[in-house]
Amino acid sequence: MLIAPSLLSCDFSVFRDEIVRIDQGGADIMHLDVMDGHFVPNLTFGAPVVKKLRNATEKPFDVHLMISEPHRYINDFADAGADIISFHTESDSDIDETLKLIEARGVKPALAIKPGTAPEVVLPYLDRLYMVLVMTVEPGFGGQSFMPDMMDKVTFLKKEIGERGLSTLIEVDGGIAKDTIATAAKAGVDICVAGTAVFGAPDAREAITELRALCE
């Protein structure tokens, strides 16, 4: 299991230091939630902030665009150093055209689906995706409770990926903690985004190690 701490839960007053801290704590991926105050009610940060933080770590930057028109900003986030860009099927951007923009920049493309969205929506694009992000809470705010019924989507997608002989990864985001991560692992999740469980712990390394151990 790969652990991707969600920087949405970090102390923004020492943003760079927080990245260094969880890097040294054993994080596999840095998950950056970009929100526009329109697609979701919250507002976070944009490409200029991501660019400034990029040299704080060599770990992959997993940029999750919770914005209405992701196609308008793909080049900005690619220039900022994103390694993975996920955007929502529910956004206003054409999925095929947005994937083409990501592919053209050599960034790993991913699609994200909200809890109310059926997983079948990603099937026409599955062979082009590095990852599918299954939201296990409603996107927009941290600290929400994990929705275990979302694991049915994971199981469905893992079966389809296996039948097609693909290597597409499944990531889940929302409510991942010590009491939920084993459920995600059992369903076949490859990457768990964890916010409060890492940043709210006294020791990030200990928290990440424990989360990973619970998946074994």
Side-chain angles (χ1 to χ4, degrees), residues 34 45-52 54 61 63 65 67 69-85 98 101-102 105 107:
V34 176
F45 46 81
V49 172
V50 174
K51 187 172 184 178
K52 289 291 186 181
R54 178 61 273 192
F61 268 20
V63 177
L65 300 181
I67 62 180
E69 298 180 287
H71 71 283
R72 294 179 55 194
Y73 301 96
I74 298 303
N75 284 324
D76 291 340
F77 284 100
D79 289 341
D83 297 286
I84 307 162
I85 294 178
T98 307
L101 289 171
I102 298 172
R105 293 304 308 269
V107 177

